[in-house]
């Protein structure tokens, strides 16, 4: 059976690399999985950015919700929509984001990095909620190939920052790279009675403010060494998986990139939705 012309077009989209404009890099504070079906101010922020983006050849997402021993990239033709959460309304589990994968780009990624930074090909994962709940608002037609790059939990922060630097040239090939997590993310400290309010604990506001200051000043060293920044950061980042996607976007940034901070609010005391566009 012959493949449809649409699928062929998607598979061949990366062949036009040299004719595409340089893509920005996004860090998206993805927050609750409910952002996949709600139309709140944060979702509106995602949609606004989506309208300003040129259609990329492909999208790479580094999601807080795919941690692995070793680094992997999804390489299947049609990634499944993963509903990796519990206790939410039925409507959320019914959402499908049928974007195609891009095995060609996945294989290319394995050749982009230094030998000591091996990236393996994965055919099991798919698109977790850190990916599809935000990408669907950027490209609702699911007509851009999407692959995910995992977070190697055995490696230190500097490793992730340096690995991202090796992928910079993909921006010039029409590839949009997205880090999806939350800069401040402490679920144990959430004030559930204020989960829908613009409210942050003092330590959350302090850590978020310093992060934004360092982002704007280009102080990546302080951001990479977040574990040495004191009590506010210890509370803001009790585990690193939601913060690591930010380090990937910092590594992909160039000095000439403009910086835009949006969705700039805390919620529930111990979470921030702060999102950043570089470029």
């Amino acid at each position: 059976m012959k493949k449809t012309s649409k699928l062929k077009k998607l598979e061949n989209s990366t062949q036009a690399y040299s004719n595409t404009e340089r893509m920005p890099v996004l860090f998206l504070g993805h927050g609750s999985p409910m952002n996949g079906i709600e139309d709140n101010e944060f979702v509106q922020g995602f949609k606004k950015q989506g309208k300003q983006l040129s259609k990329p050849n492909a999208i790479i997402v580094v999601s807080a919700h795919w941690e692995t021993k070793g680094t992997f990239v999804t390489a299947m033709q049609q990634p499944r929509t993963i509903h990796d959460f519990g206790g939410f309304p039925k409507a959320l589990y019914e959402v499908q984001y049928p974007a195609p994968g891009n095995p060609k780009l996945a294989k290319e990624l394995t050749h982009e990095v230094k030998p000591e930074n091996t990236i393996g090909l994965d055919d099991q994962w798919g698109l977790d909620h850190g990916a599809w709940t935000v990408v669907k608002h950027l490209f609702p037609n699911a007509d851009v190939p999407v692959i995910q790059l995992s977070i190697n939990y055995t490696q230190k922060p500097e490793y992730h920052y340096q690995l991202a630097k090796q992928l910079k040239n993909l921006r010039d090939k029409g590839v949009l790279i997205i880090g999806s997590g939350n800069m401040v993310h402490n679920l144990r400290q959430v004030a559930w009675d204020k989960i829908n309010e613009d409210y942050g604990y003092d330590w959350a506001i302090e850590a978020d403010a310093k992060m934004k200051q360092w982002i704007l000043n280009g102080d990546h060293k302080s951001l990479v060494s977040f574990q040495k920044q004191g009590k506010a950061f210890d509370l803001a980042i009790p585990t690193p998986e939601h913060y690591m996607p930010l380090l990937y976007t910092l590594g992909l940034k160039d000095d000439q990139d403009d910086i835009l901070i949006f969705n700039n609010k805390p919620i529930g005391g111990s979470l921030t939705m702060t999102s950043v566009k570089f470029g």
Side-chain angles (χ1 to χ4, degrees):
M1 183 180 293
K2 292 184 178 180
K3 296 177 180 176
T4 65
S5 59
K6 181 179 179 181
L7 182 55
K8 283 184 178 180
K9 184 178 180 181
L10 289 168
E11 286 180 333
N12 295 332
S13 61
T14 56
Q15 293 178 1
Y17 277 160
S18 61
N19 298 322
T20 58
E21 63 183 272
R22 188 170 185 270
M23 295 302 296
V25 178
L26 296 173
F27 172 77
L28 302 179
H30 66 238
S32 168
M34 287 298 291
N35 289 324
I37 57 174
E38 291 183 345
D39 191 24
N40 54 45
E41 63 179 303
F42 306 118
V43 169
Q44 285 298 318
F46 300 146
K47 289 181 176 179
K48 181 179 179 180
Q49 293 305 313
K51 290 176 181 178
Q52 296 174 4
L53 290 169
S54 298
K55 187 176 179 180
N57 287 325
I59 299 169
I60 300 172
V61 182
V62 180
S63 166
H65 296 280
W66 193 26
E67 291 187 280
T68 54
K69 186 176 182 179
T71 304
F72 295 89
V73 61
T74 54
M76 68 285 291
Q77 192 69 249
Q78 191 67 50
R80 63 193 174 104
T81 302
I82 304 174
H83 300 88
D84 50 330
F85 40 73
F88 289 91
K90 181 181 178 182
L92 188 59
Y93 296 92
E94 294 175 342
V95 175
Q96 294 293 313
Y97 188 71
N102 193 321
K104 179 181 176 182
L105 177 59
K107 189 172 183 180
E108 183 177 335
L109 245 67
T110 67
H111 301 300
E112 289 287 331
V113 297
K114 298 175 182 177
E116 62 267 26
N117 300 126
T118 303
I119 297 178
L121 298 176
D122 172 84
D123 61 0
Q124 300 295 319
W125 191 244
L127 302 178
D128 61 52
H129 82 269
W132 66 261
T133 64
V134 290
V135 174
K136 73 184 291 286
H137 298 306
L138 302 177
F139 301 99
N141 295 327
D143 56 353
V144 179
V146 184
I147 65 176
Q148 281 196 224
L149 180 67
S150 74
I151 297 173
N152 184 350
Y153 65 82
T154 69
Q155 295 289 347
K156 295 180 179 180
E158 181 69 22
Y159 169 90
H160 301 285
Y161 178 72
Q162 293 298 333
L163 177 62
K165 283 183 173 292
Q166 297 170 49
L167 305 177
K168 271 188 182 183
N169 71 315
L170 293 175
R171 295 181 60 186
D172 294 314
K173 296 180 178 182
V175 178
L176 174 65
I177 306 179
I178 299 171
S180 178
N182 288 95
M183 284 164 48
V184 175
H185 185 270
N186 189 331
L187 291 182
R188 292 185 178 182
Q189 298 287 336
V190 171
W192 293 106
D193 59 330
K194 297 182 179 180
I195 192 61
N196 294 315
E197 296 182 22
D198 178 3
Y199 172 73
Y201 296 128
D202 289 345
W203 53 262
I205 294 173
E206 176 188 340
D208 188 70
K210 286 184 177 180
M211 291 174 192
K212 288 181 290 193
Q213 178 185 348
W214 292 336
I215 288 170
L216 293 171
N217 293 343
D219 185 359
H220 293 185
K221 183 176 180 180
S222 293
L223 290 159
V224 172
S225 60
F226 66 92
Q227 294 164 316
K228 301 177 181 178
Q229 302 305 333
K231 186 174 181 180
F233 274 70
D234 292 342
L235 288 168
I237 314 169
T239 56
E241 76 288 338
H242 276 75
Y243 184 82
M244 287 300 174
L246 175 66
L247 299 188
Y248 278 85
T249 61
L250 294 174
L252 289 156
K253 178 187 177 297
D254 281 329
D255 291 340
Q256 68 269 30
D257 283 334
D258 293 329
I259 302 173
L260 172 69
I261 294 176
F262 61 101
N263 283 359
N264 188 20
K265 286 188 176 181
I267 55 173
S270 62
L271 305 168
T272 60
M273 295 295 291
T274 309
S275 300
V276 189
K277 177 183 177 182
F278 298 109

